[in-house]
Amino acid sequence: MALNERSRRRPRQSSSSLSNVIQISILLLSLVGFKNVNATNAKRALADPSEDMYCGTNWIDAYDNCHKPCPSGDDAECDSGMKCQGFTGCAEKLGSSSGGGGSGGGDSSTTGTEETSDPNANNMCGTSWLVAMLSCNKPCPMGTECTGGDTCYAATNCDQPLEPIISEMLMSLLGGSSTMNPTESLVLSDTILELLAAKLEESKAFIDGAAVTGQAFQAGGRRVLEVSSGNETMRVDLTVGGRQLRQHGRKLPTGSSALDVSMTITGNYRPPPYLNMDVLIEDSINRNSANLVKDLKDRGGRSGTRFFESVEGLDATAVAKATSRPTVTPTQRPSGEPTKKPSPSPTATPTNKPVKEPTKKPSPSPTATPTNKPTLKPTRKPSNMPTANPTTSPTTAPSESPTRAFDQILQSGYGTDLYEQTSRSYGNIFEVRTKSKGETVLVTGFEIYTSSIERVTYQVWTKEGPWRGFEGQRGKFTKIAQGQVKGKGECDETRAENCQFTLIPFEEFKSVPITGDGGSRSFYVTLNTRDIVYSRGSSTDIDTFNIQQDNQDIEIYEGGSVLMFPFTEATDPILHYRTPRGFLGRIYYERNPCEDGSFEWPCQTRAPNFVSTSKPTQTPTPKPTQRPTLEPTNEVTDPPTETSSASPPVNNGSNRTSTASSF
């Protein structure tokens, strides 16, 4: 706004002063990535900058709408509520000549070529300008079409595609004493996110994510940080080559104590103008460094950590400005595409997730430990389902492996999923579907992933079908669990392989079905505190929900993190939700609960399969089973088995009955 103030006070400037203003303005345009000013336009602007002076509520409004020329640079030429803005690009868009938009004035609609579109076509309804810009679902060209408390907002650029924001930042916390644990990393991420969301809204950008991707503590000497950016990992030297991080414009002393952190900032906006997000984000952080440090100390204290008390300053620079070196060690996650040649020897331990396609040849020897997850395709043997009734006579020998159990568990999130690209909210909302032509399943319980190790208050709600379009409509959902339980806490890299989720007691959970053959059910899992841990989705499109985890029975889809509690307050799909986001935890279910294998519900449920049959088989097996039945048979076999069983029968009192739910 310095240019506008100078123009208003001294509309008739000397050529030397005007040249300085032009140079400053061109520099500002380069910072926000205004890509339409080519060499010819630049010369033309230098010749007569008054042609590009137009009225607007701000520069973006003037650039988008070219309301009225103000060649003198005086705000008095503009209508009420508007100011004269320079270098708007309107002269080129409207096709005015050197004199067409000069001191003669006149309305922009009477000069230049015919406009290519109606500026009112981008008027959209919403609870805020950001909501209108992101949703673009209700036009209001007349300005009077909005209902339900919405307001009509102009210049939303809804005729342009939504551009993703992905900015990689390097930050230095001067005076840090060590690396951060997951709770402290979350405090830093939330503090940065809240600042950027507010600051970049002024530039009409929506920031929805900030995640720590790497950190390294240095007490002195060379400072090196490994930074993950997409499929690439860079080793950034922060002490040489003029790339050392700054502290309020000064280079940090080489031997100073500092925690260097890499962070990924994400969001969306609709150009034009085309903004250089790296510059805007870096500038927003550095200009508010003192307030950020103060806020970190306050939030850290409320979160029970004293980590940030020793922080004296915070500074940011874009990764794009850093000089990269290859890493000495490989990244924790695989590259997007395989290498052309295999490694000379296998890894010491298997990967957390299986490869999508099997190798053409088996490995010469098995891995030292089994994989955490089964292969995507089952083996050809044994059969997928047991017979409805036992056979009249036993097989000559017991099977090598038992039939697949009816009680199943599907876990969502393994290994690095539990501590990389995670954040916290009040709740998760997501959809679960059965496989096409698959069986009906009965969901019997949940384990959730919480950051708290204290007692937390939980609720689980559900509805048949998808959840989109029903945000905040509690009347459409049914509560199936409520209570308190002690949280297991969040896992870091050292605990990820043996991470424990928080089990919702089975006796507090009302089982609900998901009908077979592609049936759908949505679940809303929430706490009354912001301690649910979720993962970022696989897409940057806020309306794309991919399969997060599946097995041969069900598919868990990415959903949303819910930023409000209670659910009735989370009514806005843009402001109160972050999408797509992944549920982390476990779902307990019973496959094929219907006795006849029906896809319908309710149905006649099976009897439990872990008690003995009412009558023994006519002849015993030649060899005893390795494990006894849980209950003795009502009649003795005749004759007895050839050898005794390995252990006596046990009655552990764990019998249960299976009942159909009328949910």
Side-chain angles (χ1 to χ4, degrees):
M1 299 303 293
L3 173 61
N4 298 333
E5 293 174 0
R6 184 176 300 172
S7 299
R8 184 171 64 253
R9 292 169 186 162
R10 294 179 298 189
R12 306 297 182 188
Q13 302 182 47
S14 66
S15 60
S16 173
S17 176
L18 181 60
S19 176
N20 291 336
V21 172
I22 293 170
Q23 292 175 9
I24 293 172
S25 300
I26 292 175
L27 176 60
L28 290 173
L29 289 174
S30 68
L31 288 176
V32 296
F34 183 62
K35 66 180 186 180
N36 292 327
V37 180
N38 55 30
T40 302
N41 294 334
K43 292 178 181 178
R44 183 167 170 270
L46 288 171
D48 191 355
S50 64
E51 290 185 28
D52 253 353
M53 291 185 172
Y54 274 75
C55 299
T57 56
N58 52 38
W59 184 86
I60 294 176
D61 180 42
Y63 170 84
D64 284 343
N65 299 300
C66 302
H67 293 287
K68 181 181 180 181
C70 48
S72 69
D74 195 334
D75 292 344
E77 293 190 75
C78 300
D79 295 336
S80 176
M82 295 188 181
K83 294 183 179 181
C84 190
Q85 313 288 341
F87 297 94
T88 61
C90 290
E92 179 187 0
K93 287 189 287 184
L94 299 177
S96 61
S97 62
S98 297
S103 58
D107 190 280
S108 62
S109 62
T110 63
T111 62
T113 59
E114 182 180 347
E115 292 187 17
T116 58
S117 63
D118 181 2
N120 293 330
N122 276 327
N123 293 358
M124 294 288 165
C125 298
T127 55
S128 68
W129 187 91
L130 279 180
V131 172
M133 181 271 291
L134 291 170
S135 60
C136 295
N137 59 8
K138 188 174 181 181
C140 50
M142 302 299 294
T144 58
E145 296 87 345
C146 300
T147 59
D150 287 351
T151 302
C152 187
Y153 292 93
T156 61
N157 287 347
C158 281
D159 59 343
Q160 302 297 321
L162 197 65
E163 293 285 338
I165 298 170
I166 303 177
S167 180
E168 308 287 348
M169 287 286 129
L170 298 177
M171 283 180 282
S172 181
L173 276 65
L174 182 63
S177 56
S178 64
T179 57
M180 299 179 292
N181 63 31
T183 298
E184 292 155 354
S185 296
L186 190 61
V187 170
L188 176 62
S189 298
D190 286 351
T191 304
I192 296 295
L193 175 60
E194 185 172 303
L195 168 77
L196 295 179
K199 293 298 180 183
L200 268 68
E201 184 176 354
E202 299 171 5
S203 299
K204 298 192 174 183
F206 178 64
I207 301 298
D208 68 351
V212 173
T213 56
Q215 54 179 315
F217 174 72
Q218 299 292 341
R222 173 167 288 187
R223 296 166 56 208
V224 178
L225 175 63
E226 289 187 2
V227 180
S228 296
S229 178
N231 292 326
E232 180 183 4
T233 294
M234 297 190 300
R235 190 173 176 83
V236 181
D237 194 327
L238 302 174
T239 56
V240 296
R243 296 299 185 188
Q244 185 173 9
L245 292 180
R246 306 176 306 279
Q247 173 63 21
H248 302 299
R250 309 189 311 270
K251 287 187 177 181
L252 292 173
T254 301
S256 65
S257 169
L259 174 63
D260 299 316
V261 179
S262 60
M263 182 174 285
T264 300
I265 312 297
T266 58
N268 294 279
Y269 82 113
R270 291 186 192 274
Y274 290 87
L275 306 176
N276 188 326
M277 287 299 171
D278 284 350
V279 171
L280 290 176
I281 290 172
E282 178 183 313
D283 184 65
S284 296
I285 293 173
N286 292 333
R287 284 179 178 271
N288 295 274
S289 174
N291 289 335
L292 281 172
V293 171
K294 182 180 178 182
D295 200 11
L296 282 171
K297 292 180 179 181
D298 179 59
R299 289 178 180 231
R302 286 187 276 116
S303 298
T305 176
R306 302 180 64 183
F307 176 84
F308 298 102
E309 290 183 2
S310 62
V311 175
E312 302 171 4
L314 184 149
D315 190 73
T317 191
V319 168
K321 294 183 179 180
T323 303
S324 63
R325 297 182 179 181
T327 59
V328 177
T329 57
T331 59
Q332 294 180 353
R333 290 187 173 181
S335 58
E337 297 292 333
T339 56
K340 295 181 179 179
K341 295 182 179 180
S343 57
S345 59
T347 55
T349 57
T351 57
N352 289 328
K353 295 183 179 180
V355 293
K356 293 183 177 179
E357 297 293 334
T359 55
K360 294 181 179 179
K361 295 182 179 180
S363 57
S365 59
T367 55
T369 57
T371 57
N372 290 331
K373 296 174 69 178
T375 56
L376 297 178
K377 295 181 179 180
T379 57
R380 296 178 181 177
K381 299 179 181 181
S383 61
N384 291 329
M385 292 178 59
T387 56
N389 297 304
T391 55
T392 56
S393 60
T395 55
T396 55
S399 59
E400 295 180 359
S401 60
T403 54
R404 185 164 166 255
F406 286 105
D407 293 313
Q408 295 288 321
I409 304 172
L410 180 57
Q411 179 170 327
S412 180
Y414 291 85
T416 55
D417 299 340
L418 304 177
Y419 61 88
E420 290 188 357
Q421 300 291 315
T422 60
S423 191
R424 293 186 302 177
S425 66
Y426 284 99
N428 274 128
I429 190 166
F430 58 96
E431 187 178 351
V432 181
R433 300 178 192 170
T434 55
K435 291 284 189 177
S436 175
K437 299 182 180 179
E439 307 163 346
T440 293
V441 301
L442 188 66
V443 177
T444 58
F446 269 82
E447 288 187 33
I448 58 178
Y449 191 26
T450 70
S451 59
S452 175
I453 59 174
E454 306 296 332
R455 291 190 66 80
V456 294
T457 300
Y458 64 84
Q459 293 179 3
V460 182
W461 299 72
T462 187
K463 70 174 293 292
E464 285 191 281
W467 59 272
R468 290 285 273 182
F470 298 93
E471 293 89 342
Q473 298 182 37
R474 192 167 64 184
K476 301 293 185 179
F477 289 74
T478 299
K479 187 190 298 181
I480 57 174
Q482 179 176 351
Q484 289 190 335
V485 67
K486 183 175 175 60
K488 297 289 186 180
E490 197 169 355
C491 298
D492 56 19
E493 185 175 359
T494 61
R495 297 177 52 211
E497 294 302 322
N498 299 305
C499 191
Q500 293 186 5
F501 297 119
T502 301
L503 175 67
I504 293 176
F506 287 109
E507 61 270 19
E508 301 294 339
F509 193 96
K510 178 182 178 182
S511 299
V512 291
I514 307 177
T515 56
D517 195 20
S520 166
R521 180 172 288 279
S522 295
F523 293 92
Y524 166 51
V525 183
T526 187
L527 305 178
N528 64 354
T529 56
R530 198 163 170 261
D531 290 310
I532 285 282
V533 182
Y534 63 84
S535 63
R536 290 192 62 85
S538 58
S539 173
T540 57
D541 183 358
I542 62 175
D543 293 318
T544 297
F545 303 93
N546 295 319
I547 295 176
Q548 182 187 2
Q549 202 75 48
D550 70 335
N551 59 15
Q552 61 200 86
D553 300 317
I554 61 175
E555 301 167 337
I556 301 176
Y557 281 78
E558 295 169 341
S561 62
V562 186
L563 307 183
M564 302 289 287
F565 181 87
F567 190 50
T568 51
E569 299 293 327
T571 56
D572 194 303
I574 302 297
L575 295 182
H576 300 156
Y577 296 79
R578 295 289 181 265
T579 58
R581 298 294 186 265
F583 166 75
L584 296 175
R586 289 176 178 159
I587 296 180
Y588 289 77
Y589 68 94
E590 184 179 344
R591 69 178 188 87
N592 193 25
C594 299
E595 189 175 57
D596 58 357
S598 171
F599 292 156
E600 302 299 326
W601 192 269
C603 66
Q604 181 63 43
T605 56
R606 290 180 292 98
N609 65 339
F610 44 80
V611 296
S612 61
T613 56
S614 57
K615 292 185 179 181
T617 54
Q618 294 180 3
T619 58
T621 56
K623 296 181 180 181
T625 57
Q626 297 192 3
R627 298 181 66 187
T629 58
L630 297 178
E631 292 287 340
T633 57
N634 294 333
E635 299 179 16
V636 296
T637 58
D638 186 20
T641 55
E642 296 176 1
T643 58
S644 61
S645 58
S647 59
V650 176
N651 182 357
N652 60 7
S654 62
N655 293 352
R656 70 173 189 178
T657 58
S658 178
T659 59
S661 171
S662 59
F663 174 79

